[in-house]
Amino acid sequence: MTISFNTEQILIGGQWRNAENNQTLDLINPSTGELLCKIGRGSENDIDDAVKAAQTALDGEWGRMTATQRGRILTKIGEKILENVDELTRLESLDVGKPTTQARNDAIAMARYMEFYGGAADKVMGHTIPYMDGYTVYTLREPHGVTGHIVPWNYPMQIAGRCIGGALAMGNTCVLKPAEEACLTALMFARIAEEAGLPKGVLNVVTGLGNEAGAALSSHPGVHHISFTGSVGVGKLIEKAAGENIVPVTLELGGKSPQIVFDDADLDAALPFLVGACIQNGGQTCSAGSRLIIQRGVYEKVIKMVSEKISAMKVGPATDDLDVGPLISKKQRDVVEGYINAGLESGLKIAAQGQIMEGCPENGCYVKPTLFRDVPPDHKLAQEEIFGPVQVATPFDSEEEAVKIANGTDYGLVTGVWTRDGGCQMRMAKAIKAGQIFINNYGAGGGVELPFGGMRKSGFGREKGFEALYGFSVLKTVAVRHG
Ligand code: NAD
């Protein structure tokens, strides 16, 4: 296994260099549990340098570019991502343990973000506002300035793509802090962006630990906007740190998203989504459709269909490209196994489990996809985000009860509704507390064009789609008195 660049180097102001004092961290291959390579352990001073470089870039050529010029660069980055899709796929599979097909989809999605935001860059417009006689009033959308981006390990390419793409489209400069468990594609993305002509210092990448480089970025007074995707616990810290500097934040946090199946649903059409929306990426998806809330009349039938699909699922090394790869780390595997054991200890029944293939490396982080049935809605397995391939099923009788169960967690990220009844579709779309509602489909992690974000503890602010561009910009009102 070779990596074509020096993974220990971070990017600051167009210079690839070692982290302060040449500090490094180990990056582990979750398929084998073996050392993959070393990465730089960025420090508070490295972050400070990166923020200063981003400010310098903002004051330079980038700050003077037209929106069309920025859009062209983004589009070019998208083209170059597609040219490098094989290598990005390979790196992501090694680093995150994603089966190759999933890793490839993520690389293509990152290219889509660049294309989408490249095309959108010069289409963000202000308004004119009718005001008093003798005045012309209009609004302008301007970049915040230096933006900080702290991203998790589960979809490194998609999440970096969506926040960096949106921020650059609006003319911001960026400091990206990838997750310490998975950062190779962020480093390669930065190399691709350089090749595509992004000026020096516009995108800076500092790898390192959350409580070091991440904390330094979120509390840096030179950062004007923070985009964070990750856990609720760290989200709270980011919000506090940003609050000290009165800086706006976008928080994309966790979820416990339901898929509600009514008696009249087209079950054959639903089945791939009912399972895939949770188990894809080993269940490590913030918007995983991990709670199946099923109407009594089809409950046993759906349990049988889902069980058959889950039992047939194969788990193995990323490069074998099976249904499910390893989880990101032993720590994550232990957390997920802890939930499975807690379910069993409290008397819950497992309806089905997939298979870990023979010959998987002993130190790989493998967990069987698991379906628990008849899970009370207030059980920990139905309330807490497991972030692994564990699905819970709960029956319901009335539409009212379905809404109560669906809305009965701290989260509100995504919901899927499966019914042919148009009236029920509309009522559910209104009654459910979630940032995205899918009717007769489910887009876990998908949809570059679709505004995405949470309610309640799933966070606030919107990324993806055109809507994100409002978050990555600030509105200025200009009132001209001309008589
Ligand atoms: P995490 O919160 O532990 O880490 C996310 C990022 O925050 C990493 O880059 C980490 O280094 C950094 N970080 C950690 N401590 C920090 C601190 N004190 N200050 C600043 N930065 C810090 O989350 P994770 O375990 O990497 O990811 C899993 C979580 O992310 C899940 O809860 C999942 O639901 C959520 N997630 C949400 C979305 C979404 O869009 N809503 C997408 C993916 C993941």
Side-chain angles (χ1 to χ4, degrees):
M1 187 278 313
T2 53
I3 296 174
S4 58
F5 55 85
N6 183 345
T7 58
E8 291 180 26
Q9 290 186 333
I10 56 180
L11 175 64
I12 296 178
Q15 302 299 315
W16 289 95
R17 65 177 220 199
N18 285 359
E20 189 182 11
N21 298 328
N22 300 318
Q23 293 269 331
T24 59
L25 297 166
D26 289 348
L27 200 64
I28 303 297
N29 177 345
S31 292
T32 61
E34 286 166 6
L35 180 71
L36 181 56
C37 60
K38 300 258 184 197
I39 55 161
R41 178 174 177 172
S43 67
E44 194 177 341
N45 287 332
D46 291 321
I47 288 288
D48 187 50
D49 289 348
V51 172
K52 286 181 178 145
Q55 183 62 52
T56 304
L58 194 68
D59 298 335
E61 180 193 358
W62 180 252
R64 292 188 294 277
M65 270 189 198
T66 63
T68 309
Q69 287 171 318
R70 294 197 303 268
R72 281 193 190 125
I73 294 176
L74 278 168
T75 306
K76 186 92 188 149
I77 298 174
E79 284 165 15
K80 290 209 163 280
I81 289 172
L82 291 178
E83 283 166 23
N84 286 283
V85 100
D86 290 342
E87 183 58 3
L88 286 163
T89 301
R90 190 179 75 90
L91 291 177
E92 198 77 319
S93 282
L94 288 169
D95 196 357
V96 187
K98 283 178 193 260
T100 321
T101 304
Q102 170 79 56
R104 180 171 291 274
N105 288 343
D106 287 4
I108 293 169
M110 181 162 64
R112 269 293 295 139
Y113 280 111
M114 299 303 127
E115 289 166 1
F116 181 87
Y117 287 119
D122 59 3
K123 292 163 193 73
V124 181
M125 294 169 202
H127 293 105
T128 55
I129 300 172
Y131 192 51
M132 290 189 282
D133 189 32
Y135 283 79
T136 297
V137 181
Y138 59 95
T139 60
L140 297 170
R141 283 247 158 226
E142 297 189 345
H144 290 287
V146 175
T147 54
H149 302 262
I150 301 176
V151 302
W153 43 259
N154 57 342
Y155 288 86
M157 286 193 276
Q158 292 214 36
I159 295 172
R162 77 184 186 204
C163 59
I164 301 295
L168 293 182
M170 293 311 299
N172 299 283
T173 54
C174 303
V175 178
L176 170 63
K177 208 301 277 173
E180 49 271 47
E181 299 88 347
C183 44
L184 295 184
T185 50
L187 295 169
M188 180 148 177
F189 169 60
R191 286 169 195 272
I192 289 173
E194 277 184 319
E195 263 183 46
L198 193 69
K200 288 183 194 319
V202 174
L203 171 62
N204 305 275
V205 183
V206 180
T207 54
L209 294 173
N211 59 6
E212 295 178 359
L217 181 58
S218 59
S219 60
H220 197 293
V223 172
H224 308 116
H225 179 277
I226 297 166
S227 164
F228 172 75
T229 303
S231 60
V232 175
V234 177
K236 285 184 193 170
L237 298 176
I238 303 279
E239 198 182 356
K240 265 191 206 149
E244 285 297 316
N245 294 323
I246 319 285
V247 164
V249 289
T250 302
L251 295 181
E252 301 281 9
L253 308 176
K256 190 73 184 175
S257 297
Q259 300 198 67
I260 305 165
V261 187
F262 284 90
D263 282 346
D264 70 340
D266 179 344
L267 298 182
D268 290 328
L271 184 62
F273 294 89
L274 293 182
V275 179
C278 176
I279 309 294
Q280 86 173 33
N281 210 41
Q284 304 165 116
T285 306
C286 52
S287 50
S290 55
R291 287 190 292 150
L292 297 180
I293 303 175
I294 307 163
Q295 202 161 16
R296 193 87 55 185
V298 289
Y299 187 71
E300 291 303 334
K301 188 171 180 193
V302 174
I303 293 287
K304 185 166 180 281
M305 290 169 81
V306 170
S307 294
E308 278 168 9
K309 201 156 173 71
I310 286 188
S311 308
M313 288 189 133
K314 298 189 171 99
V315 183
T319 42
D320 288 2
D321 202 19
L322 302 172
D323 303 299
V324 182
L327 300 191
I328 185 72
S329 60
K330 286 184 184 155
K331 187 173 137 211
Q332 188 67 14
R333 185 192 62 193
D334 293 347
V335 167
V336 176
E337 283 178 347
Y339 274 104
I340 295 176
N341 291 334
L344 290 172
E345 278 160 21
S346 64
L348 291 184
K349 283 195 213 92
I350 289 182
Q353 280 196 305
Q355 324 146 40
I356 297 174
M357 301 312 285
E358 264 180 41
C360 281
E362 219 172 277
N363 289 322
C365 311
Y366 302 102
V367 174
K368 291 178 186 171
T370 301
L371 172 69
F372 279 97
R373 58 169 297 159
D374 313 331
V375 180
D378 59 353
H379 192 283
K380 148 188 173 111
L381 264 68
Q383 287 287 321
E384 296 175 17
E385 183 181 49
I386 298 174
F387 230 54
V390 180
Q391 213 159 14
V392 298
T394 303
F396 73 90
D397 292 300
S398 66
E399 195 177 308
E400 197 186 11
E401 190 188 0
V403 171
K404 193 165 169 231
I405 298 172
N407 286 343
T409 73
D410 286 343
Y411 295 104
L413 196 55
V414 175
T415 293
V417 178
W418 297 91
T419 175
R420 290 181 165 103
D421 176 343
C424 177
Q425 293 171 0
M426 295 299 163
R427 289 190 296 276
M428 296 301 280
K430 278 197 176 166
I432 297 295
K433 300 269 177 239
Q436 281 189 332
I437 312 277
F438 290 97
I439 311 278
N440 293 332
N441 72 105
Y442 195 104
V448 168
E449 308 82 354
L450 311 181
F452 175 72
M455 293 185 184
R456 302 167 164 183
K457 290 208 169 58
S458 291
F460 52 79
R462 293 293 176 263
E463 296 216 24
K464 300 190 180 184
F466 205 82
E467 192 71 25
L469 298 177
Y470 300 125
F472 284 120
S473 60
V474 61
L475 190 80
K476 182 186 272 178
T477 305
V478 183
V480 184
R481 182 168 162 252
H482 41 67

